[in-house]
Amino acid sequence: MGWLKSKGIQRLGGGGLERFGIRSWSRVMMAALGSRKDASALKLLQQVFRDNRSLMTSYEMWIIYSLARAQMKMPGAIAEVGVYKGASAKIFCELKGDKALHLFDTFEGLPPACEHDRGIHKVGQYTCSLESVQEYLKDYKNLSYYKGIFPDSAVNVSDDRFCLAHFDVDLYEGTKACLEYFYPRMIPGGIMITHDYDILAGVRKAFEDFLADKPESLIEMPTTQCMIVKLSPV
Ligand SMILES: C[S@@+](CC[C@H](N)C(=O)[O-])C[C@H]1O[C@@H](n2cnc3c(N)ncnc32)[C@H](O)[C@@H]1O
């Protein structure tokens, strides 16, 4: 795992080799889920898997699915920063009912990294156009798209209360901006979850720095993800 944590898989940059690795793992995971989880959930995850637009493993998609299903009972909108080709967004779309889903991305790939990211990303990595994502999600209602670098792109956002926010931006500054923007806007019991916490140094540091003066604790998962559940103000 050492090579993976330092430079290995990130350098593959969303190319064929990265997708091959994720898809191979995901087939095994999907088979394991198939013996235990309900059929409608699996049908959706298999559809997203077949669409071949995701950089998440099947277990990571399952966690997104499961949190979205749980949070649907709560008030507040859903947000995602780091949409790429719209795979995780599609899972939210399938579960969200009438809730608003706010989707933030440059739609031009990664912005510049900083020293905390250890030089493993390329500007423009993971590019997918806004038009491609809009076409992929065209059957779903109440979606808002914000093109540009977050948090500068977060203007005219019609909701200010969120029950679930998913971050997948790979970099320190973007992740820190997500935490700073959404934390005060999360309802009590609202969940902020990120991808890549334990494989990307910048993402990990952003969470550590942000949580240093907060009452919440980080919840790590066996996948690359971690999450924070917003507490009620005391
Ligand atoms: C790894 S991809 C997201 C994968 C996606 N969630 C999925 O399920 O496959 C990272 C995305 O974050 C976006 N991104 C990174 N930093 C950003 C920022 N500060 N503002 C907006 N988008 C950003 C990139 O454009 C890219 O689409």
Side-chain angles (χ1 to χ4, degrees), residues 112-121 170-173 200-203:
C114 71
E115 74 277 11
H116 301 311
D117 300 305
R118 304 207 181 146
I120 53 179
H121 294 92
D170 288 14
L171 301 175
Y172 175 83
E173 281 176 0
L200 293 178
V203 176

Side-chain angles (χ1 to χ4, degrees), residues 3 5 100 108 110 132 152 156 164 168 194 210 219 230:
W3 69 273
K5 277 194 170 181
E108 294 177 351
L110 296 181
S132 168
D152 300 346
N156 302 322
L164 182 59
D168 191 0
T194 191
F210 181 78
I219 303 170
K230 177 79 182 287

Side-chain angles (χ1 to χ4, degrees), residues 44 89-96 136-143 145:
L44 171 59
K90 169 132 179 148
I91 296 173
F92 294 133
C93 284
E94 283 285 330
L95 289 167
K96 75 181 191 60
Y136 181 54
L137 303 178
K138 68 177 184 306
D139 294 333
Y140 302 100
K141 304 264 181 304
N142 214 357
L143 308 186
Y145 294 91

Side-chain angles (χ1 to χ4, degrees), residues 4-14 18 55 109-126 168-175 195-197 199-204:
L4 196 154
K5 277 194 170 181
S6 57
K7 301 216 176 211
I9 201 160
Q10 297 94 336
R11 279 208 186 279
L12 305 175
E18 181 176 1
L55 294 172
L110 296 181
C114 71
E115 74 277 11
H116 301 311
D117 300 305
R118 304 207 181 146
I120 53 179
H121 294 92
K122 289 180 294 216
V123 173
Q125 192 173 328
Y126 305 119
D168 191 0
V169 296
D170 288 14
L171 301 175
Y172 175 83
E173 281 176 0
T175 304
H195 195 226
D196 294 329
Y197 169 78
I199 60 168
L200 293 178
V203 176
R204 178 187 286 264

Side-chain angles (χ1 to χ4, degrees), residues 54-55 82-84 88 105-106 109-111 126 148-150 168-170:
S54 182
L55 294 172
V83 178
Y84 188 39
S88 34
D105 203 295
T106 62
L110 296 181
Y126 305 119
I149 295 184
F150 186 88
D168 191 0
V169 296
D170 288 14

Side-chain angles (χ1 to χ4, degrees), residues 87-225:
S88 34
K90 169 132 179 148
I91 296 173
F92 294 133
C93 284
E94 283 285 330
L95 289 167
K96 75 181 191 60
D98 295 334
K99 276 188 188 295
L101 174 60
H102 298 271
L103 297 169
F104 301 85
D105 203 295
T106 62
F107 297 104
E108 294 177 351
L110 296 181
C114 71
E115 74 277 11
H116 301 311
D117 300 305
R118 304 207 181 146
I120 53 179
H121 294 92
K122 289 180 294 216
V123 173
Q125 192 173 328
Y126 305 119
T127 296
C128 182
S129 73
L130 172 60
E131 293 73 22
S132 168
V133 178
Q134 285 175 322
E135 173 63 23
Y136 181 54
L137 303 178
K138 68 177 184 306
D139 294 333
Y140 302 100
K141 304 264 181 304
N142 214 357
L143 308 186
S144 301
Y145 294 91
Y146 305 85
K147 180 173 160 66
I149 295 184
F150 186 88
D152 300 346
S153 58
V155 286
N156 302 322
V157 180
S158 53
D159 282 287
D160 61 0
R161 304 301 283 159
F162 294 87
C163 64
L164 182 59
H166 179 224
F167 314 142
D168 191 0
V169 296
D170 288 14
L171 301 175
Y172 175 83
E173 281 176 0
T175 304
K176 190 93 182 307
C178 288
L179 290 163
E180 281 163 0
Y181 180 88
F182 283 103
Y183 180 83
R185 293 173 172 83
M186 299 307 292
I187 60 161
I191 292 175
M192 295 186 290
I193 176 169
T194 191
H195 195 226
D196 294 329
Y197 169 78
D198 65 5
I199 60 168
L200 293 178
V203 176
R204 178 187 286 264
K205 182 163 174 50
F207 269 78
E208 286 169 359
D209 289 355
F210 181 78
L211 280 176
D213 62 353
K214 304 292 182 304
E216 286 85 0
S217 296
L218 187 100
I219 303 170
E220 256 195 274
M221 310 198 195
T223 59
T224 71
Q225 295 151 310

